[in-house]
Amino acid sequence: MSIAENIANIRRAIAEVCPQGGITLVAATKMNDADRVREAIAAGVDACGENKVQEFLEKDALGAYEGAPRHFIGHLQRNKVNKIVGKVDLIQSVDSSELLTLINRRAEALGIVQDILIEISIAGEEQKSGIAPHELPKLLEEASVLPALRVRGLMCVPPIQEESGENRHYFAQMKQLFVDNSNKKYDNVSMDFLSMGMTDDYLDAIAEGANMVRIGSAIFGARNYAAMP
Ligand SMILES: *Cc1c(COP(=O)(O)O)cnc(C)c1O
């Protein structure tokens, strides 16, 4: 199946669980070259998400993302902040006060406002990025006094599921956290996006309230890690 056919199938499946629309489909483009990224954009994805800074910069230099918003969805190292701020429309994976400060500083220097999401470690997995849910109010308070960034919502990467449906309770917890914190009014914070759900669980995520999904393999086919240099 072609990339365009895969995207059409995903859109159909999404429309079935969410006929009212309003779901942002982010193509997770890692390990796919500029031509394949362009194909996905031509077929109508709403944005492209990369998770490595170097890979993003290389493809960006080739004009891969023309016509689509760019998102950064991977773990952002502090020493790479300056390479990404202002180059992407949304940094989805902010998970520390240090990152908030560095992003704000860089955005201020560029004279822009950087949109970000806060990444939540919803399953509490030690090795994963993301803050614990209880740390969110503190981070939002910190963000509220940083004028060169704007928090647009929350993101999570739950565990790889053994069986379909396993992550639904995590998605439900995320939705609750999203709603609870939407009701508190912080400056520079507007809870617009709840980014959760990938190839194996995006329909569950949407059923539980996601309005942004990040999909890689269902669009591009399985990634061939063995072929990586
Ligand atoms: C790769 C990736 C995805 C998409 O994964 P698939 O299972 O291939 O859909 C989503 N989010 C992040 C952060 C990723 O790195």
Side-chain angles (χ1 to χ4, degrees):
M1 288 235 255
S2 72
I3 288 172
E5 284 167 326
N6 288 339
I7 291 170
N9 287 337
I10 292 165
R11 290 281 193 202
R12 255 193 301 277
I14 290 177
E16 251 169 55
V17 291
C18 186
Q20 70 273 29
I23 307 293
T24 300
L25 172 57
V26 181
T29 46
K30 59 174 171 275
M31 301 177 65
N32 285 281
D33 65 18
D35 282 340
R36 291 169 65 76
V37 174
R38 287 191 196 97
E39 231 180 295
I41 294 169
V45 295
D46 299 307
C48 292
E50 284 291 350
N51 68 339
K52 294 230 166 73
V53 171
Q54 192 55 36
E55 189 174 343
F56 167 77
L57 293 173
E58 282 167 17
K59 282 187 235 173
D60 193 34
L62 297 170
Y65 312 107
E66 260 157 51
R70 301 127 207 251
H71 293 186
F72 189 76
I73 63 177
H75 176 66
L76 182 56
Q77 292 167 277
R78 290 169 209 177
N79 62 0
K80 303 231 167 108
V81 163
N82 288 359
K83 295 189 167 161
I84 224 70
V85 171
K87 294 267 177 66
V88 296
D89 299 278
L90 186 66
I91 302 174
Q92 292 207 11
S93 38
V94 177
D95 65 353
S96 69
S97 323
E98 291 82 2
L99 275 179
L100 286 179
T101 307
L102 292 170
I103 291 168
N104 182 68
R105 187 177 302 159
R106 176 64 173 169
E108 222 161 26
L110 295 172
I112 60 159
V113 173
Q114 177 69 61
D115 280 353
I116 65 170
L117 304 181
I118 304 294
E119 180 172 356
I120 308 291
S121 172
I122 196 63
E125 296 165 282
E126 289 261 318
Q127 73 284 13
K128 283 253 184 97
S129 321
I131 60 164
H134 71 85
E135 296 175 292
L136 182 60
K138 179 176 153 282
L139 220 61
L140 294 179
E141 252 161 56
E142 287 173 16
S144 72
V145 295
L146 300 174
L149 56 78
R150 193 164 50 149
V151 178
R152 301 293 306 276
L154 306 179
M155 177 268 213
C156 75
V157 183
I160 295 168
Q161 28 174 43
E162 307 277 328
E163 276 175 58
S164 117
E166 262 176 17
N167 280 336
R168 271 188 90 128
H169 67 112
Y170 290 130
F171 296 139
Q173 287 170 27
M174 283 293 292
K175 171 70 176 189
Q176 193 59 50
L177 194 63
F178 183 76
V179 169
D180 289 347
N181 286 278
S182 306
N183 295 335
K184 303 176 194 160
K185 295 280 172 249
Y186 300 97
D187 288 336
N188 309 328
V189 176
S190 58
M191 288 287 171
D192 301 315
F193 299 115
L194 180 55
S195 172
M196 56 187 192
M198 317 188 349
T199 291
D200 287 339
D201 54 18
Y202 68 97
L203 294 175
D204 284 343
I206 292 168
E208 296 295 344
N211 60 14
M212 181 178 277
V213 292
R214 310 174 311 269
I215 301 186
S217 359
I219 293 178
F220 297 107
R223 290 178 291 275
N224 183 2
Y225 288 99
M228 283 293 274

